[in-house]
PDB file of all heavy atoms in Angstrom:
ATOM      1  N   VAL A 183      -7.979  -6.057  11.533  1.00 97.00           N
ATOM      2  CA  VAL A 183      -6.966  -7.112  11.452  1.00 97.00           C
ATOM      3  C   VAL A 183      -7.336  -8.252  12.401  1.00 97.00           C
ATOM      4  O   VAL A 183      -8.353  -8.212  13.088  1.00 97.00           O
ATOM      5  CB  VAL A 183      -5.558  -6.568  11.763  1.00 97.00           C
ATOM      6  CG1 VAL A 183      -5.177  -5.508  10.742  1.00 97.00           C
ATOM      7  CG2 VAL A 183      -5.504  -5.987  13.167  1.00 97.00           C
ATOM      8  N   GLU A 184      -6.476  -9.286  12.433  1.00 96.00           N
ATOM      9  CA  GLU A 184      -6.823 -10.529  13.097  1.00 96.00           C
ATOM     10  C   GLU A 184      -7.111 -10.394  14.591  1.00 96.00           C
ATOM     11  O   GLU A 184      -7.903 -11.180  15.131  1.00 96.00           O
ATOM     12  CB  GLU A 184      -5.707 -11.551  12.897  1.00 96.00           C
ATOM     13  CG  GLU A 184      -4.354 -11.141  13.461  1.00 96.00           C
ATOM     14  CD  GLU A 184      -3.291 -12.205  13.199  1.00 96.00           C
ATOM     15  OE1 GLU A 184      -3.632 -13.392  13.161  1.00 96.00           O
ATOM     16  OE2 GLU A 184      -2.113 -11.835  13.029  1.00 96.00           O
ATOM     17  N   ASP A 185      -6.505  -9.425  15.274  1.00 96.00           N
ATOM     18  CA  ASP A 185      -6.741  -9.294  16.705  1.00 96.00           C
ATOM     19  C   ASP A 185      -7.892  -8.341  17.026  1.00 96.00           C
ATOM     20  O   ASP A 185      -8.121  -7.999  18.186  1.00 96.00           O
ATOM     21  CB  ASP A 185      -5.475  -8.851  17.429  1.00 96.00           C
ATOM     22  CG  ASP A 185      -4.962  -7.491  16.962  1.00 96.00           C
ATOM     23  OD1 ASP A 185      -5.664  -6.828  16.172  1.00 96.00           O
ATOM     24  OD2 ASP A 185      -3.859  -7.102  17.384  1.00 96.00           O
ATOM     25  N   GLY A 186      -8.619  -7.905  16.002  1.00 97.00           N
ATOM     26  CA  GLY A 186      -9.792  -7.076  16.211  1.00 97.00           C
ATOM     27  C   GLY A 186      -9.547  -5.582  16.133  1.00 97.00           C
ATOM     28  O   GLY A 186     -10.496  -4.792  16.224  1.00 97.00           O
ATOM     29  N   GLU A 187      -8.299  -5.158  15.961  1.00 96.00           N
ATOM     30  CA  GLU A 187      -8.003  -3.726  15.869  1.00 96.00           C
ATOM     31  C   GLU A 187      -8.313  -3.206  14.472  1.00 96.00           C
ATOM     32  O   GLU A 187      -8.039  -3.872  13.462  1.00 96.00           O
ATOM     33  CB  GLU A 187      -6.533  -3.458  16.190  1.00 96.00           C
ATOM     34  CG  GLU A 187      -6.156  -1.984  16.144  1.00 96.00           C
ATOM     35  CD  GLU A 187      -4.685  -1.731  16.415  1.00 96.00           C
ATOM     36  OE1 GLU A 187      -3.953  -2.695  16.719  1.00 96.00           O
ATOM     37  OE2 GLU A 187      -4.273  -0.564  16.313  1.00 96.00           O
ATOM     38  N   ASP A 188      -8.874  -2.007  14.416  1.00 96.00           N
ATOM     39  CA  ASP A 188      -9.082  -1.329  13.136  1.00 96.00           C
ATOM     40  C   ASP A 188      -7.819  -0.568  12.758  1.00 96.00           C
ATOM     41  O   ASP A 188      -7.257   0.170  13.582  1.00 96.00           O
ATOM     42  CB  ASP A 188     -10.251  -0.352  13.223  1.00 96.00           C
ATOM     43  CG  ASP A 188     -11.599  -1.054  13.293  1.00 96.00           C
ATOM     44  OD1 ASP A 188     -11.647  -2.266  13.020  1.00 96.00           O
ATOM     45  OD2 ASP A 188     -12.590  -0.394  13.635  1.00 96.00           O
ATOM     46  N   VAL A 189      -7.371  -0.738  11.516  1.00 95.00           N
ATOM     47  CA  VAL A 189      -6.163  -0.075  11.038  1.00 95.00           C
ATOM     48  C   VAL A 189      -6.485   0.679   9.754  1.00 95.00           C
ATOM     49  O   VAL A 189      -7.539   0.487   9.141  1.00 95.00           O
ATOM     50  CB  VAL A 189      -5.029  -1.083  10.785  1.00 95.00           C
ATOM     51  CG1 VAL A 189      -4.629  -1.770  12.090  1.00 95.00           C
ATOM     52  CG2 VAL A 189      -5.439  -2.130   9.750  1.00 95.00           C
ATOM     53  N   ALA A 190      -5.558   1.558   9.344  1.00 94.00           N
ATOM     54  CA  ALA A 190      -5.767   2.397   8.164  1.00 94.00           C
ATOM     55  C   ALA A 190      -4.862   1.964   7.026  1.00 94.00           C
ATOM     56  O   ALA A 190      -3.671   1.715   7.214  1.00 94.00           O
ATOM     57  CB  ALA A 190      -5.498   3.857   8.507  1.00 94.00           C
ATOM     58  N   VAL A 191      -5.437   1.863   5.837  1.00 96.00           N
ATOM     59  CA  VAL A 191      -4.698   1.651   4.589  1.00 96.00           C
ATOM     60  C   VAL A 191      -5.100   2.797   3.678  1.00 96.00           C
ATOM     61  O   VAL A 191      -6.241   2.868   3.231  1.00 96.00           O
ATOM     62  CB  VAL A 191      -5.057   0.312   3.921  1.00 96.00           C
ATOM     63  CG1 VAL A 191      -4.134   0.055   2.736  1.00 96.00           C
ATOM     64  CG2 VAL A 191      -5.012  -0.839   4.913  1.00 96.00           C
ATOM     65  N   ASP A 192      -4.176   3.717   3.388  1.00 94.00           N
ATOM     66  CA  ASP A 192      -4.557   4.936   2.683  1.00 94.00           C
ATOM     67  C   ASP A 192      -4.403   4.869   1.174  1.00 94.00           C
ATOM     68  O   ASP A 192      -5.157   5.513   0.460  1.00 94.00           O
ATOM     69  CB  ASP A 192      -3.760   6.121   3.226  1.00 94.00           C
ATOM     70  CG  ASP A 192      -4.173   6.474   4.644  1.00 94.00           C
ATOM     71  OD1 ASP A 192      -5.366   6.744   4.845  1.00 94.00           O
ATOM     72  OD2 ASP A 192      -3.313   6.447   5.540  1.00 94.00           O
ATOM     73  N   TYR A 193      -3.427   4.115   0.685  1.00 89.00           N
ATOM     74  CA  TYR A 193      -3.318   4.021  -0.762  1.00 89.00           C
ATOM     75  C   TYR A 193      -2.631   2.737  -1.189  1.00 89.00           C
ATOM     76  O   TYR A 193      -1.926   2.095  -0.409  1.00 89.00           O
ATOM     77  CB  TYR A 193      -2.630   5.233  -1.380  1.00 89.00           C
ATOM     78  CG  TYR A 193      -1.209   5.497  -0.942  1.00 89.00           C
ATOM     79  CD1 TYR A 193      -0.124   4.977  -1.645  1.00 89.00           C
ATOM     80  CD2 TYR A 193      -0.945   6.301   0.162  1.00 89.00           C
ATOM     81  CE1 TYR A 193       1.174   5.255  -1.258  1.00 89.00           C
ATOM     82  CE2 TYR A 193       0.345   6.570   0.548  1.00 89.00           C
ATOM     83  CZ  TYR A 193       1.410   6.047  -0.164  1.00 89.00           C
ATOM     84  OH  TYR A 193       2.697   6.304   0.220  1.00 89.00           O
ATOM     85  N   LEU A 194      -2.874   2.365  -2.440  1.00 95.00           N
ATOM     86  CA  LEU A 194      -2.308   1.160  -3.023  1.00 95.00           C
ATOM     87  C   LEU A 194      -1.233   1.522  -4.042  1.00 95.00           C
ATOM     88  O   LEU A 194      -1.314   2.544  -4.720  1.00 95.00           O
ATOM     89  CB  LEU A 194      -3.400   0.343  -3.723  1.00 95.00           C
ATOM     90  CG  LEU A 194      -4.536  -0.180  -2.838  1.00 95.00           C
ATOM     91  CD1 LEU A 194      -5.555  -0.925  -3.696  1.00 95.00           C
ATOM     92  CD2 LEU A 194      -4.001  -1.074  -1.730  1.00 95.00           C
ATOM     93  N   ALA A 195      -0.242   0.671  -4.140  1.00 95.00           N
ATOM     94  CA  ALA A 195       0.832   0.868  -5.114  1.00 95.00           C
ATOM     95  C   ALA A 195       0.353   0.497  -6.512  1.00 95.00           C
ATOM     96  O   ALA A 195      -0.577  -0.299  -6.695  1.00 95.00           O
ATOM     97  CB  ALA A 195       2.046   0.018  -4.730  1.00 95.00           C
ATOM     98  N   ALA A 196       1.017   1.077  -7.511  1.00 96.00           N
ATOM     99  CA  ALA A 196       0.665   0.837  -8.906  1.00 96.00           C
ATOM    100  C   ALA A 196       1.496  -0.303  -9.485  1.00 96.00           C
ATOM    101  O   ALA A 196       2.619  -0.569  -9.052  1.00 96.00           O
ATOM    102  CB  ALA A 196       0.893   2.111  -9.725  1.00 96.00           C
ATOM    103  N   ILE A 197       0.941  -0.955 -10.486  1.00 97.00           N
ATOM    104  CA  ILE A 197       1.704  -1.918 -11.272  1.00 97.00           C
ATOM    105  C   ILE A 197       2.482  -1.115 -12.307  1.00 97.00           C
ATOM    106  O   ILE A 197       1.904  -0.538 -13.231  1.00 97.00           O
ATOM    107  CB  ILE A 197       0.783  -2.936 -11.968  1.00 97.00           C
ATOM    108  CG1 ILE A 197       0.046  -3.781 -10.927  1.00 97.00           C
ATOM    109  CG2 ILE A 197       1.590  -3.828 -12.908  1.00 97.00           C
ATOM    110  CD1 ILE A 197      -0.950  -4.766 -11.528  1.00 97.00           C
ATOM    111  N   GLY A 198       3.802  -1.034 -12.142  1.00 95.00           N
ATOM    112  CA  GLY A 198       4.607  -0.248 -13.066  1.00 95.00           C
ATOM    113  C   GLY A 198       5.954   0.101 -12.487  1.00 95.00           C
ATOM    114  O   GLY A 198       6.435  -0.545 -11.555  1.00 95.00           O
ATOM    115  N   ARG A 199       6.552   1.170 -13.035  1.00 91.00           N
ATOM    116  CA  ARG A 199       7.926   1.533 -12.702  1.00 91.00           C
ATOM    117  C   ARG A 199       8.085   2.997 -12.308  1.00 91.00           C
ATOM    118  O   ARG A 199       9.210   3.503 -12.271  1.00 91.00           O
ATOM    119  CB  ARG A 199       8.838   1.254 -13.904  1.00 91.00           C
ATOM    120  CG  ARG A 199       8.772  -0.157 -14.440  1.00 91.00           C
ATOM    121  CD  ARG A 199       9.551  -0.301 -15.732  1.00 91.00           C
ATOM    122  NE  ARG A 199       9.422  -1.619 -16.311  1.00 91.00           N
ATOM    123  CZ  ARG A 199      10.164  -2.660 -15.954  1.00 91.00           C
ATOM    124  NH1 ARG A 199      11.097  -2.510 -15.037  1.00 91.00           N
ATOM    125  NH2 ARG A 199       9.988  -3.851 -16.522  1.00 91.00           N
ATOM    126  N   SER A 200       7.015   3.707 -12.043  1.00 85.00           N
ATOM    127  CA  SER A 200       7.145   5.117 -11.681  1.00 85.00           C
ATOM    128  C   SER A 200       8.036   5.247 -10.450  1.00 85.00           C
ATOM    129  O   SER A 200       8.106   4.340  -9.614  1.00 85.00           O
ATOM    130  CB  SER A 200       5.771   5.733 -11.407  1.00 85.00           C
ATOM    131  OG  SER A 200       5.165   5.115 -10.285  1.00 85.00           O
ATOM    132  N   PRO A 201       8.746   6.371 -10.309  1.00 72.00           N
ATOM    133  CA  PRO A 201       9.766   6.486  -9.259  1.00 72.00           C
ATOM    134  C   PRO A 201       9.283   6.222  -7.848  1.00 72.00           C
ATOM    135  O   PRO A 201       9.993   5.604  -7.057  1.00 72.00           O
ATOM    136  CB  PRO A 201      10.260   7.929  -9.419  1.00 72.00           C
ATOM    137  CG  PRO A 201      10.003   8.257 -10.853  1.00 72.00           C
ATOM    138  CD  PRO A 201       8.732   7.540 -11.193  1.00 72.00           C
ATOM    139  N   GLU A 202       8.083   6.669  -7.490  1.00 77.00           N
ATOM    140  CA  GLU A 202       7.697   6.599  -6.087  1.00 77.00           C
ATOM    141  C   GLU A 202       6.619   5.584  -5.775  1.00 77.00           C
ATOM    142  O   GLU A 202       6.748   4.825  -4.834  1.00 77.00           O
ATOM    143  CB  GLU A 202       7.228   7.980  -5.602  1.00 77.00           C
ATOM    144  CG  GLU A 202       8.339   9.001  -5.522  1.00 77.00           C
ATOM    145  CD  GLU A 202       7.892  10.268  -4.813  1.00 77.00           C
ATOM    146  OE1 GLU A 202       6.713  10.345  -4.445  1.00 77.00           O
ATOM    147  OE2 GLU A 202       8.732  11.157  -4.634  1.00 77.00           O
ATOM    148  N   ASP A 203       5.550   5.569  -6.527  1.00 81.00           N
ATOM    149  CA  ASP A 203       4.358   4.871  -6.084  1.00 81.00           C
ATOM    150  C   ASP A 203       4.045   3.595  -6.853  1.00 81.00           C
ATOM    151  O   ASP A 203       2.879   3.238  -7.015  1.00 81.00           O
ATOM    152  CB  ASP A 203       3.160   5.819  -6.152  1.00 81.00           C
ATOM    153  CG  ASP A 203       3.347   6.989  -5.203  1.00 81.00           C
ATOM    154  OD1 ASP A 203       3.597   6.752  -4.024  1.00 81.00           O
ATOM    155  OD2 ASP A 203       3.251   8.138  -5.661  1.00 81.00           O
ATOM    156  N   SER A 204       5.054   2.890  -7.321  1.00 94.00           N
ATOM    157  CA  SER A 204       4.808   1.660  -8.055  1.00 94.00           C
ATOM    158  C   SER A 204       5.581   0.504  -7.448  1.00 94.00           C
ATOM    159  O   SER A 204       6.511   0.674  -6.658  1.00 94.00           O
ATOM    160  CB  SER A 204       5.202   1.827  -9.527  1.00 94.00           C
ATOM    161  OG  SER A 204       6.609   1.886  -9.650  1.00 94.00           O
ATOM    162  N   LEU A 205       5.203  -0.702  -7.851  1.00 96.00           N
ATOM    163  CA  LEU A 205       5.819  -1.918  -7.310  1.00 96.00           C
ATOM    164  C   LEU A 205       7.308  -2.004  -7.636  1.00 96.00           C
ATOM    165  O   LEU A 205       8.082  -2.557  -6.854  1.00 96.00           O
ATOM    166  CB  LEU A 205       5.091  -3.149  -7.850  1.00 96.00           C
ATOM    167  CG  LEU A 205       3.609  -3.273  -7.499  1.00 96.00           C
ATOM    168  CD1 LEU A 205       3.035  -4.569  -8.088  1.00 96.00           C
ATOM    169  CD2 LEU A 205       3.390  -3.228  -5.991  1.00 96.00           C
ATOM    170  N   LEU A 206       7.713  -1.466  -8.790  1.00 95.00           N
ATOM    171  CA  LEU A 206       9.120  -1.526  -9.194  1.00 95.00           C
ATOM    172  C   LEU A 206       9.814  -0.167  -9.090  1.00 95.00           C
ATOM    173  O   LEU A 206      10.928  -0.007  -9.574  1.00 95.00           O
ATOM    174  CB  LEU A 206       9.239  -2.042 -10.631  1.00 95.00           C
ATOM    175  CG  LEU A 206       8.802  -3.490 -10.867  1.00 95.00           C
ATOM    176  CD1 LEU A 206       8.976  -3.856 -12.335  1.00 95.00           C
ATOM    177  CD2 LEU A 206       9.574  -4.460  -9.987  1.00 95.00           C
TER     178      LEU A 206
END
């Protein structure tokens, strides 16, 4: 990130409407 720290991003959300892991 901008201040030089390493961070973790483990998963991306889906384009759709599923109950848990989507944008809607």
